[in-house]
Amino acid sequence: MTTLLVVSASKHGSTSEIAQAIGDEVAIHGVDVTVADVDNPPLNVEFDGYVLGSAVYAGHWVAELRRFIDDHHHLLSVRPLWLFSSGPLGDGPTVAEEPAEVAEFTRSLGARDHRVFKGRMEQADLNLFERAAVRFVHAPYGDFRQWDEIHDWARGIATTLHGATAAAVAAVGDNG
Ligand SMILES: Cc1cc2nc3c(=O)[nH]c(=O)nc-3n(C[C@H](O)[C@H](O)[C@H](O)COP(=O)(O)O)c2cc1C
């Protein structure tokens, strides 16, 4: 069975919930999915494909996910890989502002796609420093995640991953 590892980095939980939704949707389409927080990845990280996602804070991915990529750079660069960011808030159209490091990851790892999803921010979750930062940029509180868009993206991953795995198996057959 085709396997997929979904790893996310979240400070307040909303990006982990997106990762779980992606994993659940891909699993419905016949993939053996493992969903993990970047702080607690599986011991064996050999999978047929990967989805990595991070919350965006001050224009950057969470440091632990950047470290995970450094630790597994080769494996991630030779298997199908998708990236997502979760950050923008508000009801307007998503301004797909890429976190600073994502263009470099996409290039060096050969990622198939990078998607920016809207996020969630609740005042009660934030510490004083975070509240001050939010006041400074006038960001709105609320849950702006667009689940239909997230599920659509996950369905596309399932389809592409099945195709990529079948092609890899055929290539091994041709060479053997
Ligand atoms: C202090 C602070 C800084 C943030 N900076 C950004 C940013 O630079 N770009 C962005 O798109 N979202 C930014 N956000 C919004 C978060 O990325 C968003 O709330 C996200 O959904 C949080 O994910 P989490 O619940 O997984 O931690 C910021 C939020 C806070 C509280």
Side-chain angles (χ1 to χ4, degrees):
M1 198 176 189
T2 303
T3 59
L4 177 74
L5 176 63
V6 183
V7 175
S8 66
S10 185
K11 283 191 185 172
H12 296 295
S14 66
T15 309
S16 305
E17 289 170 1
I18 293 175
Q20 188 65 54
I22 291 168
D24 290 348
E25 183 68 41
V26 176
I28 288 171
H29 293 83
V31 175
D32 182 5
V33 178
T34 299
V35 179
D37 193 278
V38 72
D39 296 330
N40 194 20
L43 284 179
N44 179 358
V45 294
E46 279 269 351
F47 287 77
D48 295 320
Y50 301 87
V51 176
L52 306 181
S54 177
V56 183
Y57 284 91
H60 290 280
W61 272 12
V62 173
E64 284 78 4
L65 192 64
R66 291 188 262 148
R67 262 199 297 280
F68 180 87
I69 290 175
D70 287 344
D71 289 348
H72 303 291
H73 201 278
H74 176 70
L75 193 55
L76 296 170
S77 68
V78 295
R79 301 275 162 88
L81 169 72
W82 290 262
L83 306 174
F84 74 90
S85 302
S86 166
L89 305 161
D91 287 322
T94 307
V95 181
E97 202 177 297
E98 283 201 343
E101 52 282 326
V102 166
E104 173 55 23
F105 286 148
T106 303
R107 190 197 59 73
S108 67
L109 298 168
R112 303 201 169 208
D113 194 15
H114 168 245
R115 194 61 80 83
V116 179
F117 294 123
K118 287 196 173 184
R120 182 197 69 192
M121 189 172 61
E122 307 294 352
Q123 189 169 16
D125 295 338
L126 303 186
N127 62 35
L128 285 179
F129 168 77
E130 290 173 319
R131 288 184 196 192
V134 167
R135 256 200 312 279
F136 185 70
V137 297
H138 303 290
Y141 288 108
D143 188 349
F144 302 97
R145 290 170 296 175
Q146 294 172 323
W147 295 108
D148 286 352
E149 190 190 338
I150 291 164
H151 285 281
D152 282 352
W153 193 63
R155 271 192 293 280
I157 290 174
T159 305
T160 306
L161 188 57
H162 280 307
T165 313
V169 169
V172 170
D174 286 349
N175 292 331

